[in-house]
Amino acid sequence: MCKSEEILRIDNLHVSIKNECILKGLNLSINKGEIHVIMGKNGSGKSTLAKVISGHPLYNVTHGKILLKNEDITHADPDYRAHQGIFLGFQYPVEVPGVSNIDFLRMAYNSRKKILNEDEIDPLSFFELVNQKIKNINMSPLFLERSLNEGFSGGEKKKNEILQMSLLDTELSVLDEIDSGLDVDALRDIADSIKNFHKSHNSLIMITHYQKLIEYINPDYVHIMDNGSIKLSGNKSLAIQIDQYGYENLM
Ligand code: ADP
Ligand code: MG
């Protein structure tokens, strides 16, 4: 049997911001193709973890290591990590007036191609590719011509993040509360497109409270964070127990 390939390994990670310790000895290991859900009370450090994985400069790693495919990226800058295949889907995607969505997507796509030593794509071929992808997530092609996220509803912004993720074919995607602010139809579209995207080789970390999304996505692991570290790990049934009994009764 082949040994699974470890994409991300986090060892004893301690992170502080403004001298306050937020992550306190967090460990996590993710293999190629796995989906990990992270749950936990508000303020337990979930978003901090997502930002630290993507290299947000505000957070200070004071101890421990982050390895991406065995390479130490603990102190690598965010661009480098993005080029190596890490994607962070934002809880509140930013609006960028004046930059059309399709131009932004093509720029991001080509910059990844360049890193992978592959040919850039011409505007016409990209137009065909992105139109195919946008159909998969049930989003109108009209969104491609609009300014990036400007005036998009919460759900449309989230769909646009998923569009980016699937175009970039990122190896490790971290989705922080991608479900917040979605109606049931948008949630199903998002869940379906995540499932489609994941069919291949991509690993995912999903931060969510939402039982329904967890059921759709069917993750390999569910982890519960509390006070800056992962306190419990299990499978999907852990999420069901949390739903029934609450965090306090299980920790
Ligand atoms: P979660 O996503 O699990 O709700 P966060 O990672 O957002 O938790 O926050 C964890 C803790 O870190 C909270 O107490 C929060 O106030 C603190 N924190 C996070 N980011 C900052 C920041 N930029 N400045 C000050 N405190 C922060
Ligand atoms: Mg959060």
Side-chain angles (χ1 to χ4, degrees), residues 17-18 20-23 40-51 56 58-59 91 176-177 207 209 225:
I17 183 158
K18 298 171 192 154
E20 196 191 328
C21 197
I22 311 275
L23 299 187
K41 281 190 290 197
N42 294 328
S44 56
K46 305 179 299 295
S47 295
T48 302
L49 173 64
K51 288 180 202 160
H56 196 299
L58 212 59
Y59 297 84
Q91 195 170 354
D176 191 0
E177 301 205 18
I207 297 170
H209 295 286
M225 264 185 90

Side-chain angles (χ1 to χ4, degrees), residues 44-97:
S44 56
K46 305 179 299 295
S47 295
T48 302
L49 173 64
K51 288 180 202 160
V52 169
I53 291 173
S54 67
H56 196 299
L58 212 59
Y59 297 84
N60 212 346
V61 176
T62 54
H63 195 80
K65 269 191 191 148
I66 305 175
L67 303 177
L68 181 70
K69 289 174 279 175
N70 252 332
E71 181 190 349
D72 189 340
I73 57 152
T74 316
H75 300 287
D77 66 37
D79 280 356
Y80 181 80
R81 298 177 201 221
H83 288 148
Q84 295 304 312
I86 293 185
F87 175 84
L88 175 62
F90 287 105
Q91 195 170 354
Y92 306 105
V94 288
E95 302 193 1
V96 189

